[in-house]
Amino acid sequence: MRFMRLTRVRLSAGFLMLLLCLGSAMPLGATTKELYMHCGAGLRQPVEELLRTYREKGGVNVAVEYAGSGQSLVRFKATKEGDLFLSGSAFFVEQLAKDGFVTHSFSIVLHPPVLAVHPSKTGEITTVDDLAKPGVRVGLGDPKAMALGRTAEEILSHSDKKDAILANTVVRAATVKQLSLYVTKGDVDAAILARSDAVQAKDALVFFDIDPAWYTPEIVTIAALNTSRHPEEALELAEFLRSPEAVAVFLSHGFSPLP
């Protein structure tokens, strides 16, 4: 019996040594660091492509929460958690900066709007003023929830048919992706949509340019936050997202270059 107890002790000690050896076999460069980024929903496709490239280059993992920029702003202020804030509009980053949450911010590309139309209404709707025609179902972004909603408000302020267009508005979307789906599925006849989303859905809708004098284009902006647990890595990712390589990816998805 005494021999058996000693044997059990030796086996347990050997098992512990095995665990220690396995632990020491982990790569010396292995890291558990992960960044958390709030990101505008309309930026999802280029961002996911860029983050894959970033990881392949040896960058840290990044967890991303996609939502309308206004929604992301509210969520961040409620939780005070996050390393970066990437928005389709500089406006929301400026709000964070006013409250002292931003350590660095960079402009990346322009986020211009277009008039997106369901194919069944192509001959009927070609300009913003056409949205005032009787029976036209219009979709707009919620200005409190998303950057494009603010842009749409500015565009309508230049039209003498604003009231009629608002009367025809049947939905206010919280994200640009929702708004794009409303057009492609025919739930609305037309919407003021981001050019990047219109390009991505070009097989299911048609789109027309809007007079540049009617709006100030939104600027896609990245901010490194002072709530970051890994500020050096956060700044490194922010720098990558505004690099020429990253800008080229944004342009390929329908965004426009900075002046």
Side-chain angles (χ1 to χ4, degrees):
M1 294 294 295
R2 186 175 181 181
F3 172 76
M4 290 178 65
R5 283 197 296 271
L6 289 174
T7 302
R8 287 190 185 118
V9 170
R10 291 193 185 101
L11 287 172
S12 299
F15 182 68
L16 289 173
M17 287 300 294
L18 176 61
L19 290 177
L20 290 173
C21 289
L22 288 173
S24 64
M26 293 179 64
L28 293 176
T31 177
T32 58
K33 289 181 180 178
E34 181 177 74
L35 297 177
Y36 180 78
M37 181 166 70
H38 299 273
C39 183
L43 309 176
R44 184 169 192 148
Q45 286 192 323
V47 167
E48 290 189 344
E49 180 178 336
L50 287 167
L51 291 182
R52 284 195 297 271
T53 300
Y54 191 67
R55 286 192 294 270
E56 290 169 1
K57 289 177 175 289
V60 299
N61 288 330
V62 184
V64 186
E65 181 176 341
Y66 295 98
S69 292
Q71 295 173 313
S72 293
L73 182 65
V74 171
R75 178 165 173 75
F76 170 76
K77 287 187 174 182
T79 63
K80 304 295 191 301
E81 294 181 354
D83 301 284
L84 298 117
F85 192 98
L86 178 57
S87 173
S89 172
F91 171 81
F92 295 102
V93 172
E94 289 166 0
Q95 299 306 302
L96 288 171
K98 287 179 182 178
D99 292 333
F101 291 115
V102 176
T103 60
H104 300 80
S105 65
F106 307 107
S107 300
I108 302 176
V109 288
L110 297 182
H111 198 21
V114 294
L115 178 63
V117 181
H118 189 268
S120 66
K121 297 291 184 178
T122 302
E124 183 181 343
I125 305 170
T126 59
T127 70
V128 171
D129 283 346
D130 288 337
L131 299 177
K133 291 180 177 180
V136 172
R137 297 168 301 159
V138 179
L140 297 174
D142 182 348
K144 294 181 180 179
M146 58 187 284
L148 189 64
R150 298 177 58 255
T151 303
E153 293 288 304
E154 183 182 3
I155 290 169
L156 294 189
S157 71
H158 289 276
S159 173
D160 58 6
K161 298 183 179 180
K162 175 181 178 180
D163 291 341
I165 294 172
L166 291 177
N168 281 347
T169 300
V170 297
V171 65
R172 290 276 190 170
T175 70
V176 69
K177 294 302 180 186
Q178 290 176 346
L179 198 55
S180 179
L181 285 173
Y182 288 142
V183 180
T184 58
K185 290 184 176 181
D187 295 326
V188 299
D189 299 316
I192 295 176
L193 195 64
R195 185 178 186 276
S196 55
D197 288 273
V199 168
Q200 292 164 17
K202 62 184 179 181
D203 293 334
L205 54 76
V206 294
F207 61 93
F208 304 91
D209 290 330
I210 298 173
D211 186 346
W214 281 28
Y215 64 91
T216 303
E218 298 286 4
I219 301 174
V220 175
T221 306
I222 179 72
L225 304 172
N226 67 2
T227 54
S228 176
R229 297 178 181 178
H230 310 293
E232 291 183 7
E233 288 79 6
L235 180 56
E236 181 179 324
L237 177 56
E239 291 278 10
F240 170 74
L241 290 174
R242 65 122 172 206
S243 68
E245 176 185 0
V247 168
V249 171
F250 276 104
L251 298 184
S252 73
H253 283 272
F255 293 83
S256 299
L258 295 171

